[in-house]
Amino acid sequence: MPDTSTDPGRAAGRPRAGRRLTALLLASHLGPTVVVTALCTALAVAVGAPAGTVLLVLGTVLAGQLSIGWSNDWLDAARDVAVGRADKPVVSGGVTASGLRTAAFVAVAASVALSVPAGAAAVVAHLVVVAMGWAYNLGLKSTVASWLPYAVAFGALPAFVVLTLPGDARPAGWLVAVGALLGIGAHLANVLPDLDDDAATGVSGLPHRMGRRATAVLAPATLAVAVGVAVVGPPGPPRGATVVVGVLAVAVACVAGVVAVVRPRSRAPFPLVMLVAALCVGALVTTGLEGAVVHP
């Protein structure tokens, strides 16, 4: 008889292939994975990357995000069982913790292999993204530096996209800053609904130490700053369309903050944050991304 004591979810039996695939998709944190991949792909198109490079960005970022999502649910399996997170596939028996571990490592290997044709600098940039995601999952989320992996990873993502371009292209500092600020805002908004469950299992990152109300205010404020940098960062005066998209993004960020304060356990702030990220990219696109790519 197999030992199920160290592998939550195995006791439910071996899931059927279709159920297992659905569980794997859910365990990948599908929403954020799709949004981050789509935004990076859109950024690649916006900076004029060739079709092959756009596909390289899509595949590499998707594999990396899948690995981060799967490693999160694998490493948190015992904790999710302890707090009764029935929405987690490993708790409901859709997939096993060991299955998620295998999938996470396969996805990491795939992300490296897919990025190799872009060159060493791009490979390193994306490895930083994945390493930060794993570092968060492995324990940084329980420290006062819980925001740091998000800041570094989201800052490195646009850098990776630019570094995949042919030649000696480098990302502008303001573009990296926009990504880093979006990452911090995403972290703060994402943690809000789980503060109580996290506290019950010993997770004490920066948002937990600040408290729910302070976190709910800081999240949209950080996003608003990110949008501001996206609007004024490119050289020259902002275009009218850029300002309009920027104002809309700030408005959505404010809505996210209000929802977080009024409905503390709502998960709505995080998708709103993802919408702000999309609008931020939209603001960048309306600028023509002038000055986003630097050629030394």
Side-chain angles (χ1 to χ4, degrees):
M1 184 174 179
D3 178 14
T4 63
S5 60
T6 59
D7 195 352
R10 186 177 292 278
R14 186 177 300 278
R16 296 179 179 177
R19 183 186 177 201
R20 178 180 172 81
L21 177 59
T22 300
L24 279 171
L25 290 174
L26 293 174
S28 72
H29 298 226
L30 188 59
T33 292
V34 169
V35 170
V36 171
T37 302
L39 292 180
C40 289
T41 304
L43 182 59
V45 172
V47 296
T53 301
V54 172
L55 291 176
L56 180 150
V57 168
L58 189 157
T60 301
V61 174
L62 176 60
Q65 293 301 303
L66 287 172
S67 80
I68 293 170
W70 285 331
S71 66
N72 180 276
D73 273 26
W74 155 45
L75 294 167
D76 280 356
R79 188 174 70 88
D80 289 337
V81 169
V83 297
R85 287 290 301 273
D87 59 314
K88 293 289 187 177
V90 74
V91 177
S92 62
V95 66
T96 65
S98 61
L100 290 177
R101 179 184 61 210
T102 299
F105 280 110
V106 169
V108 167
S111 72
V112 173
L114 288 167
S115 65
V116 166
V123 171
V124 171
H126 193 259
L127 276 176
V128 167
V129 175
V130 176
M132 286 297 98
W134 279 65
Y136 179 85
N137 295 339
L138 285 166
L140 272 180
K141 65 183 175 183
S142 297
T143 73
V144 71
S146 62
W147 59 273
L148 185 60
Y150 273 82
V152 175
F154 275 72
L157 277 169
F160 162 70
V161 173
V162 173
L163 290 169
T164 63
L165 297 175
D168 57 355
R170 296 291 183 270
W174 62 263
L175 181 64
V176 174
V178 169
L181 288 166
L182 285 175
I184 296 172
H187 166 54
L188 297 173
N190 189 37
V191 170
L192 273 171
D194 298 326
L195 285 178
D196 294 338
D197 288 346
D198 288 344
T201 54
V203 175
S204 184
L206 179 63
H208 308 83
R209 299 167 195 238
M210 292 193 307
R212 189 179 299 277
R213 188 170 298 276
T215 300
V217 172
L218 185 58
T222 305
L223 293 169
V225 173
V227 174
V229 174
V231 172
V232 304
R239 299 178 182 178
T242 303
V243 174
V244 170
V245 176
V247 170
L248 178 59
V250 170
V252 175
C254 291
V255 170
V258 170
V259 171
V261 171
V262 176
R263 300 179 58 193
R265 296 191 65 84
S266 171
R267 294 193 175 275
F270 189 66
L272 288 173
V273 167
M274 292 294 99
L275 177 56
V276 173
L279 289 169
C280 212
V281 172
L284 291 173
V285 171
T286 62
T287 68
L289 287 168
E290 296 177 6
V293 180
V294 179
H295 294 278

